[in-house]
Amino acid sequence: MIQSWGVLVILIACPLLGSLPIIAWITYALTGRKLSQIGTKNISVSAAFYHGGTWVGILAVISEALKGMGAVLLCRVFFPPGSPWELIALIGLVLGRYGAGRGAGTTNVVWGFLVHDPLVAIFTSLLAIISFIVLRSRQWVKFGVLFLFPWLMLLLNIEDIPKIIAAVTLAGVLGWIYTKIPDDLNLPAPETDAESQAAFAYLRGNHRIFCLDDQLDANLVGHKAATLSEINRWGYPVPKGWVISRVDDPENLMAIIQPSHLSPLVVRSSAIGEDSEQASAAGQYTTILNVTTTEQLRDAIAQVQASYNHPSAVQYRRDRGLPDMAMAVLVQQQIPSVYSGVAFSRDPISQQGDAIVIEALPGSPTQVVSGKVTPEQYRAFVVETENVSSVQVVGEMSRQEVEVPQALIKQVAYLVRQLEKQYRGVPQDMEWTYDGQNLWVLQSRPITTLLPIWTRKIAAEVIPGVIHPLTWSINRPLTCGVWGDIFTVVLGDRSWGLDFTATATLHYSRAYFNASLLGEIFLRMGLPPESLEFLTRGAKMSKPPLKSTWNNLPGLMRLLTRELSLEKDFKRDYSKKFLPSLSELAHESIEELTAAQLLERIDYILELLRTATYYSILVPLSVALRQGIFRVKDAEIDHSIAPEVAALRSLTALAAQAKQQLPDSQPDQVFEELAQTPEGEKILDEFNQLLEDYGYLSDVGTNIAVPTWKENPQTIKDLFLQLWQSAAETDKPVRLTKRKGGVVQRRVDIKGQVTEIYSRFLAELRWRFLALEQACLKSGLIQQSGDIFFLELNEVRRLVAGDDIELREDLSEIVEFRRWQFQQDSEFHQIPLLVYGHTPPHPLPPSPLYSDQVLQGIPASHGQAEGRIKIVRDLQQLPEVDRHTILVVPYTDSGWAPLLVRAGGLISEAGGRLSHGAIVAREYGIPAVMDVYNATVRLRDGQRVRIDGSRGIIELCNF
């Protein structure tokens, strides 16, 4: 019994003992300094020596030694000496130290281990001292000891498995903490307290000069040097270089390199924050070329370091909120330049399109960046298909006699676009030089004016088409808020500072997602930045960053717990919340409600929609994740529960019955003749029931400004007649998938139910806004039908409340301007896939280089087909479609499903394997290619094409 109490005491008392900031108390009492607010903010023995001096450091050692010995002796009250619990006590002590004071607890462990096992402790300590004297490297000694002492414990206690496990765990915890906290011994030696300066300088050991072959930390050596080291390790050519961090002595570098006239050096700045996504700091710091002697090198380093404190540089940092930290210096071999220049992977002026802008001149790159010489400018385009990449160049040359070779320009264009891909699509500003044989990267940094990056890839599928202000004011907080909740589950406190409402915006009245912010969020979560595109569209995913994933494992496990309980949670909400609410809303007399009551019902629906949005986001992600893990093919999944598929099957079956009843009738007389027979009346009753059951669907299910089928039944009647006409000759019967059940199919079934619930709530929301609009029309608040959709939700609230006089006075102008803007944006058919920055320019037409013979997209439904193009941008006027027609559409939503089944193939500008169009295409065996950029512009009506839905290829035929 006493040992059970001992376990409890150890697990509680040791972490509490470790968390006591005794070092901080000692330092503050003797010097008045607060360790938690200065230096590295560590509360550690080395910090006490550094900031407090020798006596403060000695007292700190004594206090931490007593903690370590005390933890071990506490165990001996309950357990025999040498018990594994002594090591567990030290683990608790160390975790308490790290959690409360960001200290490693090395001193605690050394002295505690001396009590636990003096032989191992003494032997390890002697070996560490000897190694440090010989190697003068703290890192080698520190991690070498962590590797050594578990092996000694294994050799001496080979039969005591618990003790061996505890020793390995203790070493692992210490190693993990070492990687998490900065080392106080890396602080600048001259700023050490005078009493302990000599000892501190000795303990720092020999600082190895960093070179660009090393993996460098941008927080220590600046973004410029860290980026070049990364590019170098990726295999791109970077001139050899060395980095003098802010704590290094430049004399150490003088001893290993000898500049000369034959091998000159260039000395450059690498400040913290320079060349980052927040600021470029271009031209703020000094660069010195042609350094040929040691004395020149010493002076050059000093000049570059001094430029950090130049008034203009200081003001630049203040204007951008950058921290004032010391400067790292980058010393590189100077390349003898034949041609040099800069390259922008995206045009920083037009801020859109696929053009790469290259400026080049013979000689040194400083001529280009100095602005004193006008360079030659070229525009290049990298055209990539499935297996082939090509570069085409358009030059804008002022002097033909200095034209840079086209082959070199193409090489530069391809290189800068590859670097953009390496940096997750962030546009790059690359400085380059060519020595006659090799193309060298001198610098690469983000084009800060083109950030953030907004993408239509996923947004066009989630909420396609042109969007009204009211729809956006509802959808954005719902979607962004739920995504924020999901991210917070994983990130916990580390989500502070992230603005989840900034994950989406409108450009050209279309939805765009913030790819830059989403990438940062997923990286914080320990996942690849393209995770969302992988889950929603089946895109390729890079390897996750293992270290970050490990650090986020608790949060990811919390998210996994939610995924595992999805089915149970949805069934609970479906029966207790969704169905009763929908029944109540369906039987409500909307016409009898006042404006205030309608607004209350709108808020009620919005609250339900928030829960439905949670499922509408998480369930499709769960489907994609499980499908990928269990390798279930798309053809093995049954989507019959999805409302658009179920409605389509029912409509097709009714059309076939009508064809049997009226095989020779004229299309414009079908409904009239059906009403003349009992069998026909039964078909009409079933048609009306279908319209009642699925009347909540619309052309764009997520846009409440779009009329539902219930409001506009003529669309469904026209589709019914087209299906009736093709019922006899169609050779594409519905493919009935054999249901296999299992973990994937159950999630797919839930996804279908979620789609129905979500769409029904949106329809109920729309109908109440329409009723509210009628009330506003009668009272004269708004002038014409449809005006309410050009207001935002908060404006509707203020309008109904009646106390905002200014809004009432300006209302007509607000609605008129927004209606005009909406009409203007609706006329844009060539919307850029990516928007760079916060203020997009007028959309440019696609590059003529894209009129290639092969177009690439996402393979969404297997099979091949050949036919004539028919472009359909909306469902207002339905074209005649047959099995020789290849439909080209901007997007596909639930309302498009009946049209798709009559086509021979489908090409869509937006969407992936899980989009509505892809599901319907697979259901009816129609080849489909999704995500074909600007397909409605690049292709034309009547053009003959051959599509391959298995490879995602569209080939233009020349006949």
Side-chain angles (χ1 to χ4, degrees):
M1 185 66 181
I2 189 171
Q3 290 189 348
S4 299
W5 282 104
V7 171
L8 186 63
V9 170
I10 290 167
L11 295 180
I12 295 175
C14 290
L16 290 175
L17 179 63
S19 66
L20 290 177
I22 298 176
I23 295 176
W25 297 340
I26 293 171
T27 306
Y28 184 72
L30 296 181
T31 67
R33 293 185 170 187
K34 295 182 178 180
L35 292 182
S36 61
Q37 298 178 5
I38 57 178
T40 61
K41 300 180 176 59
N42 292 349
I43 301 175
S44 64
V45 170
S46 54
F49 270 107
Y50 186 88
H51 298 289
T54 303
W55 284 107
V56 172
I58 291 173
L59 291 174
V61 170
I62 294 172
S63 68
E64 293 307 296
L66 291 174
K67 280 186 182 181
M69 293 187 293
V72 173
L73 294 174
L74 176 64
C75 289
R76 296 187 178 181
V77 175
F78 306 97
F79 299 96
S83 165
W85 282 101
E86 294 178 3
L87 298 180
I88 295 173
L90 291 177
I91 293 172
L93 192 71
V94 166
L95 290 174
R97 285 277 290 112
Y98 172 70
R102 286 171 55 83
T106 305
T107 308
N108 304 134
V109 174
V110 168
W111 289 90
F113 214 84
L114 184 62
V115 176
H116 171 73
D117 193 328
L119 179 62
V120 173
I122 293 172
F123 180 79
T124 305
S125 299
L126 286 173
L127 190 61
I129 293 170
I130 294 170
S131 300
F132 182 75
I133 293 173
V134 174
L135 299 175
R136 302 286 290 127
S137 172
R138 300 193 319 278
Q139 291 293 98
W140 277 95
V141 172
K142 188 162 56 177
F143 287 97
V145 166
L146 292 182
F147 178 78
L148 176 65
F149 98 81
W151 279 101
L152 290 175
M153 294 294 291
L154 175 63
L155 292 174
L156 297 176
N157 305 274
I158 194 161
E159 294 182 355
D160 194 343
I161 301 300
K163 182 179 285 191
I164 294 170
I165 293 173
V168 171
T169 304
L170 178 58
V173 168
L174 281 172
W176 174 74
I177 292 175
Y178 288 154
T179 64
K180 300 296 290 184
I181 63 175
D183 192 339
D184 295 280
L185 291 174
N186 280 334
L187 291 169
E191 299 176 20
T192 315
D193 187 275
E195 293 181 356
S196 54
Q197 199 167 83
F200 203 84
Y202 179 80
L203 290 173
R204 281 166 54 88
N206 287 330
H207 270 261
R208 183 174 68 87
I209 296 297
F210 294 119
C211 72
L212 294 183
D213 292 329
D214 299 324
Q215 184 172 347
L216 302 180
D217 183 355
N219 295 318
L220 180 63
V221 301
H223 284 82
K224 182 183 292 180
T227 298
L228 284 175
S229 75
E230 190 170 42
I231 293 172
N232 181 55
R233 286 181 287 107
W234 284 337
Y236 297 101
V238 174
K240 188 174 182 179
W242 303 265
V243 184
I244 303 171
S245 73
R246 61 184 185 273
V247 300
D248 289 333
D249 185 352
E251 294 299 324
N252 293 334
L253 180 62
M254 311 297 177
I256 63 173
I257 60 173
Q258 297 295 325
S260 67
H261 290 284
L262 294 177
S263 59
L265 301 175
V266 56
V267 181
R268 315 167 67 193
S269 64
S270 185
I272 310 300
E274 181 184 8
D275 289 352
S276 66
E277 291 189 7
Q278 288 70 44
S280 67
Q284 296 298 321
Y285 307 117
T286 299
T287 296
I288 299 177
L289 303 173
N290 298 314
V291 176
T292 58
T293 67
T294 301
E295 190 59 35
Q296 286 181 351
L297 178 58
R298 185 179 290 108
D299 292 342
I301 292 171
Q303 289 181 52
V304 172
Q305 289 175 329
S307 69
Y308 188 77
N309 296 316
H310 192 277
S312 63
V314 172
Q315 189 61 47
Y316 180 90
R317 294 194 298 272
R318 288 176 180 171
D319 291 344
R320 286 154 183 79
L322 299 175
D324 275 322
M325 305 177 73
M327 165 95 71
V329 177
L330 176 61
V331 179
Q332 286 182 278
Q333 289 183 341
Q334 185 169 316
I335 303 298
S337 303
V338 177
Y339 297 104
S340 300
V342 294
F344 302 94
S345 65
R346 302 283 165 174
D347 189 340
I349 305 303
S350 70
Q351 297 189 357
Q352 60 181 306
D354 298 291
I356 297 167
V357 179
I358 299 171
E359 294 182 345
L361 272 181
S364 167
T366 56
Q367 297 181 87
V368 178
V369 297
S370 68
K372 297 178 181 178
V373 181
T374 302
E376 303 300 327
Q377 187 177 99
Y378 304 85
R379 296 174 70 81
F381 298 86
V382 177
V383 181
E384 295 184 284
T385 57
E386 186 178 25
N387 299 312
V388 180
S389 297
S390 63
V391 182
Q392 300 187 38
V393 179
V394 180
E396 300 174 5
M397 298 164 289
S398 59
R399 295 170 298 175
Q400 293 291 333
E401 66 272 14
V402 295
E403 179 182 350
V404 180
Q406 288 251 327
L408 177 59
I409 295 300
K410 289 183 177 182
Q411 192 177 351
V412 171
Y414 188 75
L415 176 58
V416 75
R417 185 54 60 82
Q418 290 302 306
L419 288 180
E420 180 186 270
K421 286 184 177 181
Q422 291 280 10
Y423 285 107
R424 308 185 304 277
V426 174
Q428 295 293 301
D429 168 3
M430 181 186 76
E431 188 177 324
W432 59 273
T433 193
Y434 177 67
D435 63 5
Q437 292 184 330
N438 298 309
L439 175 63
W440 300 88
V441 178
L442 302 181
Q443 179 176 312
S444 188
R445 61 189 174 200
I447 305 177
T448 53
T449 57
L450 297 185
L451 296 176
I453 303 171
W454 302 92
T455 176
R456 278 278 288 160
K457 279 190 175 181
I458 304 170
E461 191 172 344
V462 175
I463 179 168
V466 190
I467 301 169
H468 292 73
L470 181 60
T471 297
W472 187 244
S473 69
I474 291 171
N475 280 35
R476 184 188 186 191
L478 275 177
T479 305
C480 294
V482 171
W483 271 115
D485 291 345
I486 293 172
F487 292 143
T488 303
V489 168
V490 179
L491 294 172
D493 293 343
R494 286 174 295 111
S495 63
W496 293 349
L498 290 173
D499 182 8
F500 295 116
T501 61
T503 55
T505 194
L506 286 184
H507 294 306
Y508 316 111
S509 296
R510 273 88 166 178
Y512 282 81
F513 285 165
N514 190 332
S516 303
L517 179 57
L518 288 171
E520 178 189 348
I521 290 172
F522 278 106
L523 283 173
R524 284 199 191 186
M525 293 168 62
L527 299 171
E530 67 275 11
S531 297
L532 184 59
E533 191 172 345
F534 163 75
L535 290 171
T536 56
R537 296 155 53 80
K540 292 182 179 179
M541 187 168 67
S542 60
K543 292 181 180 179
L546 294 179
K547 180 180 177 182
S548 179
T549 304
W550 176 260
N551 294 338
N552 286 279
L553 197 56
L556 293 173
M557 292 304 296
R558 289 194 295 270
L559 187 61
L560 177 61
T561 301
R562 291 212 178 181
E563 195 279 336
L564 293 173
S565 64
L566 259 181
E567 186 172 0
K568 181 189 69 175
D569 293 343
F570 177 74
K571 287 181 177 179
R572 179 200 63 217
D573 288 336
Y574 185 81
S575 60
K576 294 184 178 181
K577 183 182 292 186
F578 295 147
L579 284 184
S581 300
L582 283 171
S583 177
E584 176 187 351
L585 292 169
H587 292 89
E588 189 172 58
S589 299
I590 301 177
E591 300 78 7
E592 298 177 4
L593 300 178
T594 65
Q597 289 173 328
L598 284 168
L599 199 55
E600 287 180 4
R601 302 307 283 167
I602 287 170
D603 288 336
Y604 171 67
I605 296 172
L606 287 176
E607 187 62 33
L608 292 165
L609 266 173
R610 183 173 179 83
T611 306
T613 302
Y614 167 79
Y615 290 113
S616 73
I617 289 175
L618 205 54
V619 172
L621 296 183
S622 173
V623 170
L625 190 62
R626 289 179 175 228
Q627 189 176 351
I629 291 173
F630 296 103
R631 300 183 180 277
V632 177
K633 297 179 180 178
D634 294 330
E636 298 173 353
I637 297 175
D638 178 14
H639 292 277
S640 59
I641 291 184
E644 63 267 31
V645 174
L648 180 57
R649 286 185 174 181
S650 299
L651 196 65
T652 304
L654 280 179
Q657 292 179 35
K659 189 67 174 180
Q660 292 178 352
Q661 292 292 321
L662 305 171
D664 302 318
S665 181
Q666 295 299 314
D668 57 352
Q669 298 176 356
V670 168
F671 280 95
E672 181 179 340
E673 292 182 12
L674 283 174
Q676 296 174 4
T677 64
E679 293 81 3
E681 286 186 351
K682 183 179 178 182
I683 292 175
L684 289 179
D685 289 341
E686 291 184 22
F687 177 85
N688 292 329
Q689 185 60 50
L690 183 145
L691 194 59
E692 181 68 27
D693 292 341
Y694 298 102
Y696 57 86
L697 294 175
S698 68
D699 296 352
V700 184
T702 52
N703 191 347
I704 62 169
V706 177
T708 61
W709 288 359
K710 181 178 180 179
E711 300 165 58
N712 186 21
Q714 188 59 45
T715 300
I716 306 305
K717 289 183 178 180
D718 292 341
L719 291 170
F720 176 83
L721 292 176
Q722 289 192 15
L723 290 171
W724 172 85
Q725 286 179 286
S726 62
E729 68 270 10
T730 182
D731 57 356
K732 292 180 299 186
V734 176
R735 181 181 57 83
L736 297 175
T737 305
K738 183 179 179 181
R739 296 176 60 86
K740 294 191 175 185
V743 293
V744 178
Q745 185 62 57
R746 287 203 300 272
R747 284 291 188 271
V748 171
D749 292 346
I750 294 174
K751 179 174 177 281
Q753 292 178 290
V754 169
T755 301
E756 178 186 353
I757 292 294
Y758 189 77
S759 300
R760 284 185 180 277
F761 278 132
L762 284 177
E764 295 291 350
L765 188 67
R766 169 181 166 79
W767 294 331
R768 278 150 187 82
F769 272 115
L770 289 177
L772 187 59
E773 182 181 60
Q774 289 301 313
C776 291
L777 283 168
K778 289 179 182 178
S779 62
L781 290 175
I782 56 178
Q783 304 304 314
Q784 59 178 308
S785 296
D787 279 1
I788 197 167
F789 295 109
F790 292 98
L791 298 176
E792 296 180 356
L793 180 59
N794 68 319
E795 292 170 338
V796 174
R797 296 187 197 281
R798 286 152 49 201
L799 199 63
V800 172
D803 53 0
D804 194 330
I805 306 301
E806 184 178 352
L807 175 62
R808 289 194 173 201
E809 292 176 350
D810 298 338
L811 191 63
S812 60
E813 292 184 12
I814 292 172
V815 171
E816 183 179 355
F817 173 77
R818 290 177 182 171
R819 189 186 288 275
W820 172 83
Q821 186 67 61
F822 184 85
Q823 291 297 331
Q824 290 287 108
D825 291 343
S826 299
E827 294 175 4
F828 294 146
H829 298 305
Q830 303 168 16
I831 302 303
L833 183 65
L834 300 175
V835 166
Y836 299 95
H838 290 289
T839 309
H842 189 285
L844 293 174
S847 165
L849 298 173
Y850 278 103
S851 59
D852 203 62
Q853 292 299 107
V854 178
L855 280 65
Q856 180 80 43
I858 293 177
S861 180
H862 296 304
Q864 293 80 36
E866 186 175 314
R868 299 286 180 182
I869 291 292
K870 184 62 184 178
I871 296 172
V872 182
R873 290 192 170 90
D874 55 52
L875 292 178
Q876 299 307 309
Q877 293 182 343
L878 296 176
E880 288 296 325
V881 174
D882 58 32
R883 60 189 181 88
H884 302 293
T885 303
I886 306 297
L887 275 180
V888 181
V889 300
Y891 61 87
T892 57
D893 211 307
S894 54
W896 294 72
L899 176 64
L900 304 182
V901 299
R902 301 193 58 218
L906 171 66
I907 300 171
S908 178
E909 291 183 331
R913 293 186 301 105
L914 299 180
S915 61
H916 295 279
I919 291 172
V920 172
R922 290 195 297 270
E923 189 76 15
Y924 282 78
I926 303 166
V929 181
M930 319 298 286
D931 193 42
V932 182
Y933 178 52
N934 264 339
T936 60
V937 177
R938 293 157 66 183
L939 298 170
R940 62 182 184 273
D941 278 339
Q943 192 172 18
R944 193 166 187 82
V945 297
R946 183 184 298 110
I947 73 170
D948 186 334
S950 305
R951 296 190 299 152
I953 297 293
I954 300 119
E955 298 177 275
L956 279 61
C957 302
N958 295 319
F959 53 88

